[in-house]
């Protein structure tokens, strides 16, 4: 008999976004042309001045261990940037730099949750949330939101879901996978319930700078006095600066929690990559015009994708205020025979679309909501044009 898996990992699913992207990669390796709208990562190269900061760091021998929770310069830059942009004061000791925002999320859950604690997660949610919560032994409580309310959790829904075991609310605005953005008013109503019930919040703000049109990002802990002590803010450089491979993210947390995250990290992974930290420092403190350029390009693509979805019979999509995803309603096509294959759910839809038309997307079921597929528009307009032509053919 082989070695038995632990009970906790038996319940963990692989990341569907990364799995779909890997499938697209395998087809490409076989020589096929694939339009990859699955994984959410900017298609731009990391801006040159950021790469140069990394070259310089290597030349200067910054290639050794750093403090486990990150270099002091980077923590200082993170808290200063947050203060300038959002107006909240954090001490550098409240910032823990990790191997991507994903790792910062893991640290946050692991340091605050106990087995049996309930974490409220509005669906559709980013694929890794429920799995990371389960890894800490806690229980994800999934609340389905409604497309007619642009997939936002309402105060009534939140209040009704609270039990004596509820510990935390997980928020992601702008959202992966829907691109929705909560207004200050909407977040304020949720914040009041958090405070009344002594709950904690993990606010994943990784898409905070990728916001389009008149939409405005509001940082959760700014909404009410006292919220900062009940919130862990998650962010990083992956999305804003096209730095997914560098693996730098962070948490801003109450000091006792930040201290424990730092201890946990010192035992589990040590510091995040030293060179990447110097690159992230340049990203935050250097010229920001690269961000505006990328955002204006994403905005054009968003408008293009919204137009294409509206044109294809039987598809629809709620407003995308930020991030770079379209969460497309495909319910009208479920149950149909598409290219000889009956497609009954979002997974079968995505697999048939990839198989027949070589367009990779991610099934809504991976985000906890059936009847939808997610398409990333972090792709050139040319690629998006060809991909949506193929989707239209697939459904014709
Ligand atoms: N949160 C959300 C909502 C995301 O979409 C991602 C994308 N990977 C992450 C966290 C993790 O980002 P990172 O690459 O910094 O780990
Ligand atoms: N966050 C991105 C996505 O949702 C990257 C992949 C991942 O980390 O899951 O596609």
């Amino acid at each position: 008999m082989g070695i038995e898996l632990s009970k906790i990992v038996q319940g963990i699913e692989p990341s569907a976004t990364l799995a779909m992207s890997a499938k697209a990669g395998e087809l490409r390796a076989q020589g096929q042309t694939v339009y990859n709208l699955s994984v959410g990562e900017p298609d731009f190269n990391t801006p040159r001045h950021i790469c140069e900061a990394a070259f310089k760091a290597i030349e200067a021998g910054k290639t050794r261990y750093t403090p486990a929770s990150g270099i002091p310069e980077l923590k200082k830059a993170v808290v200063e940037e947050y203060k300038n942009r959002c107006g909240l004061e954090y001490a550098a000791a409240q910032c823990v730099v990790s191997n991507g925002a994903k790792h910062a999320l893991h640290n946050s859950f692991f340091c605050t949750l106990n087995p049996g604690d309930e974490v409220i997660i509005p669906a559709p949610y980013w694929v890794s949330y429920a799995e990371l919560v389960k890894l800490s032994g806690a229980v994800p409580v999934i609340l389905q939101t409604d497309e007619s309310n642009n997939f936002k959790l309402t105060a009534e829904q939140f209040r009704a879901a609270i039990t004596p075991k509820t510990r935390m609310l997980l928020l992601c605005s702008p959202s992966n996978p829907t691109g929705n953005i909560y207004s200050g008013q909407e977040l304020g109503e949720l914040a009041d319930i958090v405070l009344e019930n002594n709950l904690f919040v993990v606010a994943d703000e990784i898409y905070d700078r990728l916001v389009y049109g008149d939409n405005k990002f509001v940082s959760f802990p700014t909404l009410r006095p006292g919220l900062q002590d009940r919130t862990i803010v998650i962010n990083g450089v992956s999305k804003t600066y096209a730095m997914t491979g560098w693996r730098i993210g962070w948490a801003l947390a109450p000091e006792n929690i930040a201290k424990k995250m730092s201890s946990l990290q010192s035992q589990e992974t040590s510091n995040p990559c030293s060179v990447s930290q110097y690159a992230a420092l340049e990203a935050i403190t250097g010229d920001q015009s690269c961000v505006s350029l990328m955002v204006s390009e994403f905005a054009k693509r968003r408008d293009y994708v919204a137009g294409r979805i509206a044109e294809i019979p039987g598809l629809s999509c709620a407003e995308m205020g930020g991030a770079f995803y379209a969460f497309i309603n495909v319910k009208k096509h479920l149950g149909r025979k598409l290219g000889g294959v009956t497609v009954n759910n979002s997974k079968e839809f995505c697999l048939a679309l990839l198989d027949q038309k070589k367009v990779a997307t991610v099934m809504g079921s991976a985000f906890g909501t059936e009847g939808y597929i997610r398409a990333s528009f972090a792709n050139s307009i040319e690629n998006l044009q060809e991909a949506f032509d193929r989707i239209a053919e697939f459904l014709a």
Side-chain angles (χ1 to χ4, degrees):
M1 205 176 88
I3 300 173
E4 209 178 306
L5 292 166
S6 75
K7 295 224 164 30
I8 284 200
V9 299
Q10 279 179 37
I12 301 299
E13 297 290 335
S15 163
T17 46
L18 298 181
M20 280 307 276
S21 191
K23 250 187 210 305
E26 279 163 26
L27 292 174
R28 271 194 189 140
Q30 292 164 14
Q32 310 209 35
T33 303
V34 180
Y35 293 87
N36 190 0
L37 276 48
S38 65
V39 73
E41 77 176 331
D43 55 321
F44 304 109
N45 287 332
T46 303
R48 183 74 200 170
H49 66 287
I50 298 174
C51 297
E52 273 164 9
F55 304 151
K56 274 193 200 141
I58 295 173
E59 277 161 7
K62 311 269 192 196
T63 51
R64 299 171 186 270
Y65 291 135
T66 74
S69 59
I71 54 173
E73 307 92 295
L74 179 56
K75 294 183 189 187
K76 189 165 161 267
V78 167
V79 302
E80 275 175 9
E81 194 275 337
Y82 193 74
K83 185 182 168 205
N84 294 338
R85 205 159 44 83
C86 302
L88 278 186
E89 300 261 1
Y90 282 93
Q94 291 180 267
C95 176
V96 179
V97 183
S98 300
N99 299 285
K102 204 179 250 184
H103 184 206
L105 283 162
H106 167 70
N107 284 344
S108 304
F109 299 140
F110 210 74
C111 288
T112 56
L113 298 172
N114 288 306
D117 284 349
E118 291 179 356
V119 178
I120 293 181
I121 308 179
Y125 54 79
W126 177 48
V127 284
S128 293
Y129 290 153
E131 302 309 303
L132 290 175
V133 164
K134 284 194 268 172
L135 265 184
S136 65
V139 182
V141 175
I142 308 300
L143 299 187
Q144 278 304 329
T145 61
D146 208 84
E147 186 178 351
S148 62
N149 190 38
N150 207 352
F151 298 108
K152 289 176 190 171
L153 177 69
T154 64
E156 297 73 50
Q157 237 186 327
F158 178 29
R159 200 185 292 281
I162 294 171
T163 74
K165 290 191 175 158
T166 307
R167 226 27 238 306
M168 182 185 278
L169 169 67
L170 184 39
L171 280 176
C172 179
S173 172
S175 150
N176 178 0
T178 70
N180 74 18
I181 303 185
Y182 285 72
S183 68
Q185 161 89 22
E186 289 161 340
L187 286 178
E189 287 171 15
L190 299 177
D192 289 334
I193 301 171
V194 165
L195 292 168
E196 277 161 32
N197 292 278
N198 290 327
L199 303 179
F200 298 90
V201 174
V202 166
D204 185 343
E205 302 188 344
I206 193 149
Y207 295 100
D208 60 351
R209 309 255 314 262
L210 307 186
V211 169
Y212 316 117
D214 295 332
N215 292 287
K216 292 238 161 353
F217 161 75
V218 183
S219 176
F220 186 76
T222 62
L223 286 160
R224 298 282 185 271
L227 221 45
Q228 203 177 344
D229 299 334
R230 312 210 133 261
T231 306
I232 302 175
V233 173
I234 303 293
N235 212 321
V237 292
S238 288
K239 316 290 171 169
T240 311
Y241 299 100
M243 292 179 70
T244 47
W246 299 77
R247 309 309 303 133
I248 297 291
W250 52 81
L252 291 171
E255 201 156 344
N256 63 327
I257 297 173
K259 215 168 165 184
K260 266 296 171 223
M261 289 204 240
S262 183
S263 307
L264 175 67
Q265 199 159 288
S266 76
Q267 298 288 10
E268 267 189 346
T269 60
S270 305
N271 60 278
C273 170
S274 60
V275 174
S276 296
Q277 290 188 66
Y278 286 95
L281 177 61
E282 172 61 24
I284 298 169
T285 56
D287 183 4
Q288 298 298 298
S289 56
C290 55
V291 179
S292 333
L293 280 174
M294 289 191 271
V295 170
S296 65
E297 198 49 44
F298 284 137
K300 282 186 218 151
R301 296 162 177 196
R302 174 196 74 148
D303 294 345
Y304 177 77
V305 164
R308 292 299 308 264
I309 293 167
E311 274 167 25
I312 300 174
L315 295 187
S316 63
C317 181
E319 199 216 334
M320 300 163 265
F324 36 60
Y325 307 103
F327 200 59
I328 307 171
N329 186 329
V330 297
K331 287 177 193 171
K332 291 202 174 125
H333 293 286
L334 297 184
R336 284 186 63 198
K337 228 176 184 169
L338 299 169
V341 178
T342 305
V343 162
N344 287 314
N345 54 44
S346 59
K347 184 172 181 187
E348 289 175 3
F349 186 106
C350 287
L351 294 177
L353 178 61
L354 181 59
D355 184 43
Q356 295 173 33
K357 297 291 173 191
K358 308 293 174 269
V359 176
T361 54
V362 186
M363 46 293 237
S365 51
F367 304 95
T369 305
E370 191 41 88
Y372 297 80
I373 60 164
R374 191 193 76 175
S376 159
F377 56 84
N379 269 283
S380 67
I381 294 270
E382 294 70 38
N383 278 351
L384 292 170
Q385 187 174 358
E386 181 63 30
F388 276 90
D389 287 350
R390 288 172 178 228
I391 292 173
E393 278 169 23
F394 177 63
L395 298 174

